[in-house]
Amino acid sequence: DEVNQHIYIADLENSRIQVVSFEGEFLKRFGQDILKKPWGIAVTADDVFVTDRSLHALLQFRKNDCKLVRRTVTEGAGEGQLDEPRGLCSDYNGDVYVAEYRNNRVSVFSKQLQFMKCLGTQQLRSPLDVKVTRNSVVILDGSPNCIHFYSRSGDLLN
């Protein structure tokens, strides 16, 4: 969070999110009563989105008070379901992209966590992380150790 100069850390072993200043000063922790194995974090102007690989969930916390706003609720392979989510990011519209390790895809949700679409269902094997640029979606795929580039509409570019 460059605006507030905070760094958000997924503390996998202690089942929580920790927040420190750019200088390394501890500021706060949250999620310890909710999270099991937090993995990825995406911070927007108002929210902190967290993937939890044990809960198979995407969770949305308010940035100002760290209260849980909403979460995805079902594990599985259907649309809007997650299976071992890993890295994530948000785009300039606030949409959230989630790399799903076991479902071999990237799922896209609105900032209200409404499912929108999937990317990479034919090409990905074990996606670990995802980042969005102005023109493309960049996905790190762990099994073949490669990077895939997709258009924002979902077409494979490489």
Side-chain angles (χ1 to χ4, degrees):
D1 177 11
E2 292 185 28
V3 173
N4 296 313
Q5 297 189 344
H6 295 166
I7 299 169
Y8 290 75
I9 303 165
D11 188 347
L12 182 72
E13 295 304 317
N14 292 306
S15 305
R16 64 188 177 197
I17 303 301
Q18 296 201 56
V19 184
V20 299
S21 70
F22 277 10
E23 292 77 32
E25 177 188 353
F26 173 80
L27 300 172
K28 59 186 167 184
R29 68 177 60 93
F30 64 94
Q32 56 271 17
D33 297 331
I34 301 166
L35 300 169
K36 289 188 179 178
K37 293 288 183 186
W39 188 274
I41 299 175
V43 180
T44 66
D46 300 317
D47 299 299
V48 178
F49 294 92
V50 178
T51 54
D52 190 301
R53 70 180 213 193
S54 289
L55 295 175
H56 305 281
L58 170 62
L59 300 94
Q60 179 182 11
F61 296 88
R62 281 192 305 253
K63 191 161 88 172
N64 62 348
D65 62 7
C66 302
K67 298 293 184 195
L68 181 67
V69 176
R70 62 183 64 90
R71 63 172 278 184
T72 58
V73 292
T74 56
E75 173 186 353
E79 290 186 346
Q81 296 179 315
L82 300 173
D83 193 355
E84 206 168 314
R86 299 288 178 102
L88 75 157
C89 68
S90 64
D91 67 12
Y92 59 88
N93 292 323
D95 297 335
V96 181
Y97 293 69
V98 179
E100 291 186 70
Y101 186 77
R102 287 207 180 135
N103 280 338
N104 303 319
R105 66 186 183 194
V106 169
S107 288
V108 184
F109 297 86
S110 71
K111 57 186 162 189
Q112 293 81 26
L113 300 191
Q114 297 299 311
F115 174 78
M116 297 171 62
K117 63 183 173 184
C118 288
L119 303 175
T121 56
Q122 301 298 317
Q123 297 85 14
L124 299 175
R125 294 196 187 129
S126 301
L128 297 171
D129 207 358
V130 58
K131 298 299 175 214
V132 177
T133 69
R134 180 177 308 167
N135 300 317
S136 63
V137 179
V138 183
I139 302 169
L140 172 63
D141 201 355
S143 181
N145 296 319
C146 65
I147 298 173
H148 298 279
F149 293 85
Y150 288 82
S151 69
R152 297 285 302 254
S153 62
D155 298 320
L156 183 64
L157 298 175
N158 67 332

